[in-house]
Amino acid sequence: MLEVIRKYTAEIGDSDIGKTVKLYGWVHEIRDHGGIVFVILRDREGFIQVTVPRKKVDTDVFKTVKKVHRESVIEVIGTVKAEPKAPGGYEIVPQKFVILNEADAPLPLDVAEKVPAELDTRLDHRYLDLRKPKIQAIFRIRHCVLKSVREFLCEEGFIEVNTPKIVSTATEGGTELFPISYFEKEAFLNQSPQLYKQVLMAAGLERVFEIGPIFRAEEHNTVRHLNEAVSIDIEASFIDHEGVMNILERLIKRVYEDVSESCSRYLKWLGIELETPKIPFKRLSYDEALNIAERKGESIPWGEDISTPALKLISEDMPEFYFIVDWPTKSKPFYAMPYKDKPEICKSFDLMKGYIELASGAQRIHVYNLLVKRIEECGMSIDSFGFYIESFRYGMPPHAGWGLGADRLLMAMLNLKNIREGVLFPRDRNRLVP
RNA sequence: GCCCGGGUGGUGUAGCUCGGCCGAUCAUGCGGGCCUGUCGAGCCCGCGACUCGGGUUCAAAUCCCGACCCGGGCGCCA
């Protein structure tokens, strides 16, 4: 007996007409007319109608089809027919219809989306939610984004590295860290690969990148914050902040191009027309940003971080990607390089899309004495910086870098209303499962 | 964490202002029946719910307090 070839629904075409194919998938919908039953089979790539007329199929096949529940896993072997009345133009008349695993009823969530479900319900039953083509499209695109980022950075001479996520101290300052138990020692989940990236500059790797999780124990509760996020981080030697901003904007452009090209199917599922942004992105100085906000009635004292309402006002004037540059030194971390002639501001930048910060970076301080001075000015003790501070004493090259939120990039690209939409199993203030 | 709004069958909702007429609406789903061209199949019958704890009252889905959770806004986020 000839082996029947397994096909995806989307592969069925005119060349298959009259041929026997094998399909695996889930029962998406059942329309039972008594003497004829239509089953919509869904697989990773799409849908196809399985048409089961009582008088033209095996009795056992008909009986099986009559009792199958929605979302059961099935194997269908049948003949492909061109049929204008069938959705998609083709239908399968089965010789074999096997229930590989029956699904219970009722379902916790309607995959066919006749009834909508709230995000919270969807996340509780994420595996079912992910069966929806629209939802799966988000993650197929996410895959492409990460692939594109890797390819681009490799082409630019970056070496992919992995740094530890379990760290010993909270001395980087600022954000709250998650404490964990590490044998007899105290340990934390790392908030960022920052210090390690810099040490690797001292190691002479010159250009490194890491795509990995970061953990922040802040009790924030917004549509754009997570307690576990994925960060795309780079660090490069012998280059300044302008240089890494240039890499960043070219990266963004490249990702949009790659997604437009290789994910057109998924963009269509989502109803999104992606427009590749033009580079260079606009550079807005911190002072200019404050002026815009001020003019619109939201004043920020110089030196403070820019508030959410102010960023929303600024974004009205800046519809595309843009940088906010030349931040007050005191509003940025200790390792940002101050301007020589104007030390109250520093060579740091944020990449914005709308009011959301996608990335932030800077030229770093590579001079030991200046770094020590800045750490002390920030009220921290150099003793607690151990391995990090030591690496600045024995030949640290000038360097710069940035961290880009992968989840936020996807959110901006696909216009997601909630960052959780772009994360398979998000972790936030209240969600620890699934 | 703060302010505001909310929590009703598996899912999404109406009802709450003004307590009783709620033995709780509608859709979808599920079970049963009819049906050979559906594509949100249709028609008939049935099933299934007031987040939890306390209080007020003759009487609570409805009013009050607390907890938990959700949504929006903000804060926090080197």
Side-chain angles (χ1 to χ4, degrees):
Chain A
M1 192 179 143
L2 273 172
E3 179 94 0
V4 181
I5 296 170
R6 190 260 165 122
K7 288 233 175 191
Y8 283 111
T9 54
E11 293 172 334
I12 302 292
D14 284 345
S15 60
D16 297 301
I17 294 167
K19 287 187 185 156
T20 300
V21 296
K22 175 155 76 177
L23 295 152
Y24 289 108
W26 285 258
V27 175
H28 188 68
E29 282 183 86
I30 305 160
R31 289 190 272 276
D32 186 346
H33 288 236
I36 186 166
V37 183
F38 302 99
V39 173
I40 308 298
L41 179 149
R42 184 194 66 244
D43 64 17
R44 204 175 82 169
E45 307 300 331
F47 303 93
I48 197 154
Q49 176 167 291
V50 180
T51 301
V52 193
R54 186 177 57 217
K55 289 182 179 160
K56 291 180 186 160
V57 300
D58 185 86
T59 316
D60 285 342
V61 166
F62 193 75
K63 271 190 197 157
T64 307
V65 169
K66 276 284 188 183
K67 70 170 194 212
V68 73
H69 284 137
R70 292 159 77 222
E71 296 306 321
S72 297
V73 183
I74 55 170
E75 175 189 351
V76 174
I77 294 176
T79 312
V80 179
K81 279 179 64 186
E83 176 52 72
K85 281 179 281 186
Y90 303 99
E91 65 182 16
I92 308 291
V93 180
Q95 280 110 57
K96 204 174 155 196
F97 188 105
V98 182
I99 300 172
L100 297 175
N101 211 158
E102 180 72 287
D104 275 352
L107 298 160
L109 170 62
D110 178 18
V111 177
E113 281 189 290
K114 284 181 192 167
V115 182
E118 286 190 19
L119 180 59
D120 200 46
T121 307
R122 291 170 40 213
L123 291 175
D124 282 342
H125 311 280
R126 191 54 145 162
Y127 66 96
L128 274 177
D129 188 48
L130 285 160
R131 291 184 190 175
K132 302 172 192 164
K134 266 192 174 187
I135 307 302
Q136 225 173 282
I138 296 170
F139 295 95
R140 306 284 282 264
I141 293 168
R142 185 181 169 115
H143 159 72
C144 180
V145 167
L146 293 174
K147 180 166 175 264
S148 176
V149 165
R150 271 205 173 83
E151 281 171 3
F152 175 83
L153 290 174
C154 290
E155 284 164 24
E156 294 284 321
F158 285 83
I159 296 165
E160 182 163 9
V161 297
N162 301 284
T163 63
K165 304 305 152 204
I166 301 173
V167 296
S168 70
T169 56
T171 51
E172 292 170 44
T175 195
E176 292 294 318
L177 300 182
F178 287 109
I180 59 169
S181 149
Y182 193 76
F183 307 110
E184 69 280 5
K185 293 190 174 110
E186 183 186 47
F188 301 90
L189 293 176
N190 209 176
Q191 60 176 276
S192 137
Q194 182 60 31
L195 306 187
Y196 289 97
K197 285 193 301 177
Q198 291 192 260
V199 168
L200 292 174
M201 294 302 97
L205 264 50
E206 262 199 49
R207 290 187 163 208
V208 299
F209 78 99
E210 174 164 19
I211 300 174
I214 56 171
F215 304 91
R216 310 228 160 151
E218 297 295 338
E219 301 203 342
H220 35 44
N221 195 251
T222 77
V223 292
R224 60 187 186 283
H225 286 94
L226 293 167
N227 294 292
E228 178 178 349
V230 171
S231 177
I232 300 161
D233 263 272
I234 74 153
E235 203 68 29
S237 295
F238 311 113
I239 189 170
D240 64 8
H241 57 301
E242 279 294 343
V244 290
M245 282 163 77
N246 174 261
I247 291 170
L248 180 53
E249 59 196 354
R250 286 191 294 117
L251 170 80
I252 298 286
K253 178 168 180 264
R254 168 68 172 276
V255 168
Y256 272 68
E257 283 168 354
D258 285 350
V259 168
S260 295
E261 200 186 303
S262 62
C263 292
S264 56
R265 264 183 96 212
Y266 308 122
L267 290 168
K268 207 185 280 169
W269 288 2
L270 288 166
I272 289 174
E273 296 243 0
L274 207 58
E275 222 177 285
T276 300
K278 305 255 184 305
I279 58 170
F281 299 153
K282 244 193 183 146
R283 269 77 166 157
L284 190 69
S285 74
Y286 172 86
D287 288 355
E288 287 167 334
L290 252 51
N291 284 154
I292 294 172
E294 173 96 56
R295 205 172 62 227
K296 297 189 176 215
E298 192 78 29
S299 62
I300 307 283
W302 195 91
E304 304 263 298
D305 211 348
I306 305 176
S307 68
T308 305
L311 285 172
K312 284 183 176 173
L313 293 170
I314 294 161
S315 72
E316 291 171 357
D317 289 12
M318 311 292 292
E320 295 305 315
F321 285 95
Y322 62 101
F323 286 108
I324 300 179
V325 301
D326 299 344
W327 287 78
T329 304
K330 68 174 175 182
S331 72
K332 286 290 174 184
F334 64 85
Y335 48 75
M337 178 69 93
Y339 281 94
K340 261 209 177 91
D341 51 339
K342 225 182 164 195
E344 65 276 16
I345 59 171
C346 63
K347 298 180 178 180
S348 70
F349 58 87
D350 282 3
L351 174 68
M352 309 293 298
K353 176 76 194 286
Y355 74 98
I356 293 179
E357 178 192 330
L358 297 187
S360 97
Q363 182 181 160
R364 325 294 192 189
I365 294 172
H366 59 282
V367 180
Y368 180 83
N369 292 135
L370 181 55
L371 188 63
V372 169
K373 185 177 153 235
R374 285 292 299 136
I375 288 172
E376 283 170 349
E377 280 172 7
C378 290
M380 291 178 283
S381 159
I382 57 157
D383 298 338
S384 53
F385 280 91
F387 74 93
Y388 173 72
I389 199 85
E390 186 200 292
S391 72
F392 287 78
R393 291 174 58 198
Y394 304 105
M396 173 65 89
H399 61 280
W402 43 253
L404 166 65
D407 317 289
R408 286 197 175 176
L409 175 60
L410 193 72
M411 185 186 182
M413 179 181 267
L414 303 183
N415 211 246
L416 304 176
K417 297 290 170 268
N418 192 316
I419 196 163
R420 294 161 181 80
E421 293 278 2
V423 179
L424 287 171
F425 302 106
R427 287 291 175 265
D428 63 35
R429 179 68 182 86
N430 291 113
R431 183 174 287 280
L432 196 51
V433 283

